[in-house]
């Protein structure tokens, strides 16, 4: 038996067919066009999925279902992607109904960070743990929560949207209208934006970490402060959720120990429960593939 996973991202949509033991037997991807109407994109996704199934000799008899990971916010009751910031034309798109018209198998929608958390739980850094906090630090910041081996979706599918937790109002106005959200301070977008402003030149997030390693005098105090704010966010999350392990994924986590060490240091110092203060904080294992693997795992997990 097989599951089809579809991971809809701001730049690409990836899909994969997974067998019951968790091996990907075929995969494909297409560019997500932010200019195209969602129906046009969905039609392309459906054609791509049908071709992939045909090529792999997977019929609807052997397909257990289709899992979809999508950028939130979502409305799981109505199988809907509501108003994702990175897909400006996608407004209240009833994706589950739309895809159901073309396949007669169960369809399960979750937000992308939750799907990635599930992938890390089954096949990645969280394997063997019952209580996991997965945080992705990329263009934005999101989280997936596994509690007692169960993915916590929340009432509408938006649990784990930690990016808009206020960490330090002195960092100014976030797109959501609050001051100093986690994402507004610590996402790759935020770090590149703020460092470029300070240095009066365009800098990528990777450049910023490079300059930090070289102890550049303007970037060093700035990034020290950002990494401390990251630590604060993780202390609040660990105090709230009491996970056995914290997994950090997303592009910014590729900075490696230069990012992980200050977070671990801060968490060890300030987490209230002294056992939780030593919660392992580790990089994600599946990186780029977590989205599709997680989407397929939504079906195999049921
Ligand atoms: P997406 O948000 O589309 O899922 P990614 O997870 O790849 O994309 O995250 C993209 C962010 O990660 C960008 O802000 C990028 O600058 C940043 N990034 C990518 N590689 C690195 C790196 N080696 N060090 C620090 N930041 C990085
Ligand atoms: Zn915000």
């Amino acid at each position: 038996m097989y599951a089809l996973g579809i991971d809809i991202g701001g730049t690409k949509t990836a899909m994969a067919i997974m067998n019951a033991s968790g091996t990907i037997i075929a995969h494909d991807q297409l560019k997500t066009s932010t200019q195209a109407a969602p129906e046009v994109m969905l039609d392309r996704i459906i054609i791509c999925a049908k071709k992939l199934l045909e090529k792999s000799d997977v019929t609807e008899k052997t397909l257990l279902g289709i899992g979809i990971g999508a950028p939130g916010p979502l409305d799981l009751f109505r199988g809907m992607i509501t108003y994702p910031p990175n897909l400006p034309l996608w407004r209240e798109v009833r994706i589950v109904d739309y895809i159901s018209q073309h396949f007669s198998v169960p369809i399960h929608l979750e937000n992308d960070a939750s799907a990635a958390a599930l992938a890390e739980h089954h096949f990645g850094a969280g394997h063997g743990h019952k209580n996991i906090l997965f945080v992705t630090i990329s263009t934005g910041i999101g989280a997936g929560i596994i509690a007692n081996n169960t993915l916590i979706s929340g009432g509408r599918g938006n649990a784990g949207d930690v990016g808009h937790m206020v960490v330090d109002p002195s960092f100014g106005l976030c797109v959501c209208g609050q001051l100093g959200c986690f994402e507004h301070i610590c996402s790759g977008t935020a770090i590149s934006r703020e460092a470029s402003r300070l240095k009066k030149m365009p800098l990528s997030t990777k450049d910023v970490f490079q300059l930090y390693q070289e102890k550049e005098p303007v970037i060093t105090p700035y990034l020290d402060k950002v990494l401390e704010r990251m630590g604060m966010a993780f202390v609040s999350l660990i105090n709230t959720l009491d996970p056995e392990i914290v997994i950090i994924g997303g592009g910014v986590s590729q900075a490696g120990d230069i990012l992980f060490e200050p977070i671990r240091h801060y968490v060890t110092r300030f987490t209230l429960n002294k056992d939780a203060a030593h919660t392992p904080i580790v990089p994600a294992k599946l990186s780029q593939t977590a989205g599709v693997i997680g989407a397929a795992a939504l079906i195999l997990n049921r």
Side-chain angles (χ1 to χ4, degrees), residues 11 136-140 187-189 204-206 209 250-252 254-255 288:
T11 49
T136 171
I137 308 181
S138 50
T139 313
S187 66
T189 317
S204 70
T205 316
K206 199 173 169 180
F209 278 94
V252 181
Q254 286 169 30
Q288 296 303 325

Side-chain angles (χ1 to χ4, degrees), residues 9 19 32 80 87 113 127 135 152 159 185 223 225 234 245 258 268 282:
N19 67 19
T32 306
M80 196 156 84
L87 296 171
H127 188 72
V135 179
I152 304 298
I185 302 169
L223 204 60
K225 202 166 165 187
F234 279 96
I245 187 166
I258 198 160
T268 306
V282 303

Side-chain angles (χ1 to χ4, degrees), residues 8 29 98 111 123 131 134 139 207 222 226 266 272 274 283:
I8 302 176
Q29 68 177 58
Y98 200 93
N111 86 59
F123 309 110
N131 297 286
F134 168 81
T139 313
D207 295 335
Y222 159 69
V226 169
Y266 193 92
L272 216 51
K274 289 304 157 208

Side-chain angles (χ1 to χ4, degrees), residues 200-221:
K200 301 187 177 62
M201 62 192 283
L203 292 171
S204 70
T205 316
K206 199 173 169 180
D207 295 335
V208 181
F209 278 94
Q210 180 62 39
L211 290 170
Y212 184 69
Q213 225 152 3
E214 294 163 10
K215 303 197 172 7
E216 199 284 334
V218 175
I219 293 302
T220 304

Side-chain angles (χ1 to χ4, degrees), residues 163-164 174 176 178 181:
H164 299 280
C174 175
C176 75
Q178 296 195 99
C181 295

